Amino acid sequence: MTGSRKVAAGGGRGSRLGRTAMTGLSFLILLVAGVGWGYLKLTGQIDTFGADGISGDRPPASSNGQNVLVIGSDTRSGANRKLGGGKGTVGRSDTAFLLHVYADHRHAVAVSIPRDSMVDIPACRTPGGEWTAPQHHVMFNGAFSVGETAEGNPACTQNTVEHLTGLRVDHTVVVDFSGFSALTSAVGGVPVCLPQDIYQRDLSPNRTTRGALVFAKGPQTVSGQRALDYVRIRHGIGDGSDIGRIKRQQAFIGSLIKKVKSQGLNPTTLLPLADAATDSMTVDPGLGSADRLLKFAMSMKNIDLRNTRFVTVPWRYEGARVAIVEPEAHALWEALKADRTIDGQDASGQGKGGRSTKRPDDASPSPAAPAPVSGTGISLAVYNGTTVNGLAARAAELLRAHGFTVTGTATASNQDRMSTVIQYGPGLEAEAETTARLFAGARTMASGTPGIQVVLGASYAENPSPAAEATPTPSAEPSTVGDGARSADEDLCKDLSYG
């Protein structure tokens, strides 16, 4: 009896262990099945835009990091009309930033591009299959509206950003009002701060009265429609510009990242958030599955909040619009290509364990004196991309003085270039970089055409002094870029307005 009880007792313990194991296994199977079902469900609801609209003339991949273009669409069609107000049916870009995840996967920076920035929009494909003529010195957010469809034209915005920065965009994500609202609700609200009380007229400037209080001054948590109202506030704070709004949007995104990371970056926590957002998300074909989206999100789990930074491209007012300031902007793009952070750290992952070889509190090195530019063995042609007479001849003289062989000068097909571009064929990137050192604010761009072509812009007409002598290329970004940065761990109530 005792033996049988022992057997029974042993059997009971084994049965309990077995039941526990089976319960655990069943839970694991359900969890995996749930995640798998989530993947299938999410993949089925992710919209992608066609790759046929992405330009064939793209910058080379010059970094082991990743560049992700994030576009906030304020289309007023469908479910977005109730959230955004207004009656327009053409998709518009309300905000945009280029997220650079450094190669060490321990640093990231989001560079905001003001929607009113004056840029060149390259040829873009319309829904009918036609390619538009390039547009020069037009508002940046016009790229998203090319073709005038409700969905917008994310491929055109991607082409424009690549043309502006010389950086290859690896992925593009578009989120509209509905997706943004759902995401903030799914995360349980996002902590924000207001520098002052906000009333109804601040959200609707055409009101004749101040209206009711919408947001009280100070910290609070918002979600859904209120979160959308927060990131769209322009009037009543600072100078009422998009620049001030960008500051609040950067603070909001940083706070959202902090909230999500506090809940844990894993498929279990990310799937509900992705489920909330993907119904109203459009991505490039390379991100068109839940697996790829979650893999990208998981790749950022080791980035500390202090190393997640937000900046705005160097800018200045140009009347009611915004001009991008050179050579500061060019220095920023070049730093991202080299995986160098905005405070001068090496984030290429080449150091031990993939970490930067410099401590965050190390001082950035002073710019080294530039070596003399020698064009010996470099042949190129010069094109005048402006209406200033004799500019190509002047540049040719400068180039010859530095040892370059100028094969010819001519007028460019377009004569309203703002900045100088050094176009180079296969195998000539280093030679193009050498050439660019002579022209302040010049950028290099890969081309399918053999040889090197210097296309002069208005920046050279205004400042014909050799860049290598007048303005040395800095070894780190201009201090003003880093000075205006904020991190995802920043005080929520700090630096929320402009003017």
Side-chain angles (χ1 to χ4, degrees):
M1 293 293 295
T2 304
S4 65
R5 283 198 298 270
K6 285 184 177 179
V7 172
R13 182 172 181 271
S15 298
R16 288 195 299 273
L17 286 174
R19 286 194 297 271
T20 302
M22 287 304 297
T23 300
L25 181 59
S26 298
F27 177 78
L28 181 61
I29 291 173
L30 287 172
L31 178 61
V32 172
V35 172
W37 167 247
Y39 280 151
L40 291 173
K41 182 173 181 288
L42 294 182
T43 297
Q45 64 194 36
I46 297 173
D47 289 330
T48 60
F49 61 86
D52 53 0
I54 298 174
S55 173
D57 183 16
R58 305 184 64 190
S62 58
S63 163
N64 290 322
Q66 289 192 82
N67 299 306
V68 181
L69 175 62
V70 180
I71 305 169
S73 166
D74 71 349
T75 178
R76 309 302 169 92
S77 63
N80 293 291
R81 180 171 297 176
K82 181 180 178 180
L83 291 169
K87 300 179 181 179
T89 57
V90 175
R92 298 182 299 176
S93 170
D94 189 60
T95 186
F97 62 85
L98 183 66
L99 173 67
H100 180 73
V101 181
Y102 291 89
D104 66 357
H105 291 285
R106 285 181 168 82
H107 296 79
V109 62
V111 183
S112 294
I113 304 174
R115 66 179 191 174
D116 295 341
S117 300
M118 305 306 290
V119 301
D120 292 344
I121 297 178
C124 288
R125 190 178 188 274
T126 66
E130 303 86 8
W131 286 80
T132 63
Q135 303 177 61
H136 302 286
H137 201 57
V138 294
M139 284 174 55
F140 170 69
N141 70 342
F144 193 74
S145 300
V146 168
E148 299 187 336
T149 65
E151 298 79 16
N153 197 330
C156 186
T157 302
Q158 177 176 318
N159 294 343
T160 301
V161 169
E162 290 190 339
H163 182 76
L164 171 68
T165 66
L167 290 159
R168 190 181 187 94
V169 174
D170 299 294
H171 298 296
T172 294
V173 178
V174 183
V175 180
D176 64 17
F177 287 158
S178 179
F180 177 86
S181 175
L183 179 62
T184 59
S185 296
V187 79
V190 179
V192 299
C193 188
L194 271 300
Q196 63 192 61
D197 291 343
I198 299 297
Y199 295 86
Q200 286 179 310
R201 187 165 58 189
D202 298 321
L203 293 173
S204 303
N206 293 328
R207 284 182 61 101
T208 57
T209 61
R210 185 175 72 171
L213 179 70
V214 179
F215 293 103
K217 177 181 177 180
Q220 54 209 278
T221 297
V222 296
S223 63
Q225 178 70 60
R226 284 180 60 78
L228 187 60
D229 287 342
Y230 174 85
V231 298
R232 296 184 65 224
I233 297 170
R234 281 183 62 182
H235 305 280
I237 302 180
D239 66 356
S241 69
D242 189 47
I243 299 298
R245 177 166 60 178
I246 284 173
K247 287 178 176 289
R248 291 185 293 280
Q249 290 173 343
Q250 291 173 342
F252 183 94
I253 297 168
S255 181
L256 174 61
I257 292 172
K258 187 174 183 178
K259 181 70 178 286
V260 172
K261 292 197 75 169
S262 71
Q263 297 175 344
L265 277 181
N266 58 68
T268 304
T269 57
L270 289 175
L271 274 171
L273 304 183
D275 185 32
T278 48
D279 266 336
S280 303
M281 177 186 290
T282 303
V283 300
D284 69 279
L287 273 183
S289 73
D291 181 62
R292 292 169 183 168
L293 277 172
L294 290 172
K295 183 178 179 181
F296 172 73
M298 293 294 288
S299 73
M300 298 183 66
K301 68 179 181 180
N302 292 326
I303 301 177
D304 189 87
L305 293 171
R306 291 175 295 114
N307 292 331
T308 304
R309 310 293 294 278
F310 299 87
V311 299
T312 301
V313 63
W315 65 278
R316 61 176 172 80
Y317 279 125
E318 188 176 88
R321 304 303 180 201
V322 171
I324 293 176
V325 175
E326 301 291 0
E328 286 84 353
H330 176 73
L332 175 59
W333 310 134
E334 290 300 305
L336 299 189
K337 287 181 186 178
D339 275 320
R340 194 173 64 243
T341 67
I342 58 174
D343 54 1
Q345 294 186 64
D346 174 16
S348 64
Q350 300 300 312
K352 183 179 179 180
R355 293 182 181 275
S356 170
T357 55
K358 291 182 62 179
R359 297 190 307 273
D361 56 349
D362 283 347
S364 298
S366 300
V373 176
S374 172
T376 302
I378 301 176
S379 298
L380 44 74
V382 183
Y383 296 87
N384 186 355
T386 76
T387 56
V388 179
N389 292 330
L391 200 63
R394 185 194 308 173
E397 183 178 348
L398 169 68
L399 289 159
R400 291 189 183 104
H402 283 78
F404 292 84
T405 299
V406 178
T407 59
T409 60
T411 300
S413 56
N414 296 302
Q415 292 181 270
D416 49 5
R417 290 272 186 183
M418 294 303 296
S419 58
T420 297
V421 177
I422 316 298
Q423 299 175 342
Y424 62 91
L428 294 172
E429 182 178 4
E431 289 83 351
E433 293 289 350
T434 298
T435 307
R437 290 181 56 202
L438 286 180
F439 301 92
R443 59 188 176 87
T444 59
M445 177 175 291
S447 168
T449 304
I452 296 177
Q453 297 81 41
V454 178
V455 184
L456 301 168
S459 58
Y460 177 65
E462 296 167 0
N463 180 22
S465 300
E469 298 172 12
T471 310
T473 301
S475 61
E477 291 69 33
S479 60
T480 53
V481 176
D483 290 346
R486 73 178 299 129
S487 74
D489 203 29
E490 201 85 46
D491 178 358
L492 276 178
C493 297
K494 176 184 176 183
D495 193 21
L496 296 173
S497 65
Y498 180 83

